[in-house]
Amino acid sequence: SELTTEDYQSFYKELYPFNEPPLFWIHLNVDYPFNLTGILYFPKIKQSYEIQKDKIQLYSNQVFVTDEVKDIVPEFLMLLQGVIDSPDIPLNVSRSYLQGDPNVKKINNHITKKVADKLEEIFKTDRAEFESKWESLGLFVKYGMMTDDKFLEKAEKFHIMQDARESKFYTLEEYKTAAATLQKNKDGKLVIIYATDPVQQDAYIKAAIDKGYLVVKLETIVDAAFINQMEMKWSDVQFTRVDADITDNLIDKQEDSSTVLSKEQEERLKKLFEQQPSGLHLTVEVKGLSPETAPVLATRPEFMRRMKDMSAISGPMGSFYANMPDEVTLTVNGNHPIYQQILSVGDEQKQEKLTRNLADLALLSQGLLKGSNLTSFIERSVDLMKQ
């Protein structure tokens, strides 16, 4: 009660002289059923690669014991920094001792509760401040929700998701209230639509917003794993990336749509679009979308794309998925007026060039047009402009 903010910050400066000031801290002071004092700091993390573990030091009566505190501090809080002092832990501490001592388990549970209570308190008393620090806080919260079910129960109250276009944030309950009317699929599950790169996925986000959908941003290093875990832990919730399908299909409502084209014209279009670049596993489908929707859309199936995203952080096993060709669905909008013009062109070679360019534009929007395929697209575009 006698310490000031400056006291805590100057102590942090002594411990970590080259770090930026911490977001906030938790002062632990317990005398029953075990003795424990300590200060845990939440560091400011601007980039995911700045995450560092083993920054908490353990003391016994002010004598340094170890900075390997894995069993004392919950795994997800290993990202925190600070010091803990407990006379109940002997100086000759061993890993097997820590794993077997009942006091250690109690300390672990106590720290989890204190952290959850502190985060909930900040969220309730100063939500704007909490939201401004979410870029760093989100890593701790999501990691905790994935690895600790007790923390998950408490964190559901203060875990937030940011709107992909605005600075607005939503808890899960707030998202449900705002999106449940339009974003329930045929199985009654709430579909949370998310973006991993709002700049690259801008066209898809705009199309989803125009349809009345709510798109949130999930773009950190832990989000791919977080999404998979929460789909198992949250009942009746499903995550779908905004570019995983055409906007009409993001929420699976089993609605059918027909085109203004004849069957023969649809088949002709399908054959034209199937002649696409190598290095991709392409599926082509012709659907009747709004005439204002783009003439062709490239989407990557949610499951395979997730596996490839996870492969970036999952070591050798992930390389199996990483080396697989990208699965892409080209959805041809049969109701777009451009196809009436293309199909009326007598020159088959020109038809192929025009459809190839439309497909390349769609692939380019997904970052899937590279190397020689990109070069061919540029050359072909210039050639078409001459005609």
Side-chain angles (χ1 to χ4, degrees):
S1 61
E2 296 172 7
L3 295 172
T4 64
T5 297
E6 289 71 26
D7 291 328
Y8 284 106
Q9 289 180 339
S10 61
F11 182 50
Y12 183 79
K13 195 81 176 169
E14 283 184 39
L15 293 170
Y16 313 103
F18 302 108
N19 285 17
E20 285 190 65
L23 296 172
F24 58 87
W25 47 87
I26 297 169
H27 197 141
L28 305 166
N29 196 354
V30 188
D31 53 22
Y32 182 82
F34 50 83
N35 287 294
L36 173 77
T37 57
I39 304 171
L40 295 178
Y41 292 94
F42 279 75
K44 193 177 290 184
I45 300 173
K46 288 183 178 176
Q47 301 290 340
S48 298
Y49 58 73
E50 292 177 1
I51 294 172
Q52 291 180 308
K53 293 186 177 183
D54 299 328
K55 288 287 185 177
I56 299 173
Q57 300 170 6
L58 177 66
Y59 291 77
S60 179
N61 284 323
Q62 299 188 30
V63 177
F64 178 72
V65 178
T66 180
D67 57 6
E68 297 241 354
V69 294
K70 184 177 178 184
D71 294 290
I72 296 172
V73 176
E75 185 183 358
F76 74 96
L77 294 177
M78 295 284 284
L79 306 176
L80 299 187
Q81 300 172 344
V83 291
I84 295 172
D85 192 312
S86 176
D88 291 336
I89 294 172
L91 289 174
N92 60 345
V93 67
S94 67
R95 187 70 191 277
S96 57
Y97 171 85
L98 288 176
Q99 289 175 334
D101 185 51
N103 273 338
V104 168
K105 182 65 178 171
K106 289 174 186 173
I107 292 171
N108 187 299
N109 290 338
H110 178 76
I111 292 173
T112 300
K113 183 179 183 304
K114 288 287 284 186
V115 169
D117 289 346
K118 179 71 173 180
L119 289 169
E120 186 176 358
E121 177 195 333
I122 297 171
F123 179 73
K124 284 181 175 177
T125 57
D126 193 346
R127 178 161 173 169
E129 178 72 6
F130 186 89
E131 289 177 352
S132 71
K133 295 175 177 176
W134 181 249
E135 186 179 359
S136 290
L137 281 181
L139 292 167
F140 300 108
V141 175
K142 290 171 188 174
Y143 193 15
M145 291 171 74
M146 287 189 283
T147 57
D148 190 315
D149 286 342
K150 285 185 178 177
F151 183 80
L152 171 65
E153 287 176 29
K154 289 179 173 287
E156 286 177 351
K157 298 171 188 172
F158 52 77
H159 167 263
I160 50 178
M161 300 174 285
Q162 186 176 2
D163 191 292
R165 282 279 185 89
E166 303 172 15
S167 57
K168 188 171 183 180
F169 287 83
Y170 302 87
T171 63
L172 178 61
E173 285 305 312
E174 289 166 351
Y175 189 95
K176 281 180 180 177
T177 302
T181 306
L182 291 176
Q183 291 177 221
K184 280 197 174 178
N185 64 17
K186 66 182 192 301
D187 300 319
K189 283 190 174 185
L190 174 75
V191 179
I192 297 177
I193 302 173
Y194 68 97
T196 55
D197 187 337
V199 175
Q200 184 180 325
Q201 295 157 354
D202 183 71
Y204 294 90
I205 294 169
K206 182 181 183 303
I209 291 172
D210 288 347
K211 205 165 176 67
Y213 296 155
L214 189 56
V215 185
V216 293
K217 199 163 47 172
L218 293 173
E219 57 183 355
T220 72
I221 193 172
V222 301
D223 280 324
F226 177 75
I227 286 165
N228 289 334
Q229 286 284 320
M230 291 308 105
E231 281 186 333
M232 291 187 283
K233 295 185 177 190
W234 283 341
S235 61
D236 297 325
V237 171
Q238 174 187 318
F239 287 83
T240 299
R241 203 167 92 172
V242 70
D243 58 351
D245 208 330
I246 59 171
T247 310
D248 293 46
N249 290 354
L250 284 176
I251 314 297
D252 182 10
K253 296 180 179 178
Q254 286 191 326
E255 293 174 351
D256 194 23
S257 54
S258 56
T259 73
V260 296
L261 302 174
S262 67
K263 285 291 178 189
E264 292 75 16
Q265 287 176 316
E266 285 188 13
E267 285 303 314
R268 174 64 183 151
L269 267 186
K270 196 169 179 183
K271 282 182 182 175
L272 285 167
F273 275 100
E274 281 170 348
Q275 301 170 37
Q276 297 307 327
S278 58
L280 299 174
H281 187 277
L282 280 179
T283 303
V284 179
E285 58 183 18
V286 180
K287 290 204 169 186
L289 309 176
S290 163
E292 288 76 34
T293 301
V296 63
L297 296 160
T299 54
R300 298 165 68 195
E302 180 77 7
F303 174 76
M304 281 306 298
R305 186 199 44 70
R306 275 196 209 181
M307 291 301 102
K308 289 180 79 72
D309 287 351
M310 288 287 287
S311 71
I313 55 173
S314 58
M317 182 58 199
S319 63
F320 170 77
Y321 290 104
N323 295 326
M324 289 181 72
D326 280 295
E327 283 195 27
V328 181
T329 299
L330 285 181
T331 302
V332 179
N333 177 12
N335 288 336
H336 197 284
I338 197 169
Y339 293 120
Q340 301 290 349
Q341 299 171 36
I342 290 174
L343 291 169
S344 66
V345 173
D347 185 343
E348 286 191 13
Q349 279 193 325
K350 188 170 183 183
Q351 280 186 344
E352 287 176 10
K353 281 184 178 180
L354 290 167
T355 53
R356 184 70 177 264
N357 251 38
L358 288 173
D360 283 354
L361 283 168
L363 294 170
L364 192 62
S365 74
Q366 282 279 28
L368 294 170
L369 198 67
K370 299 172 185 174
S372 60
N373 291 325
L374 180 57
T375 304
S376 297
F377 165 69
I378 295 168
E379 291 172 350
R380 195 185 321 110
S381 299
V382 172
D383 186 44
L384 284 168
M385 289 170 75
K386 291 176 183 176
Q387 298 176 18

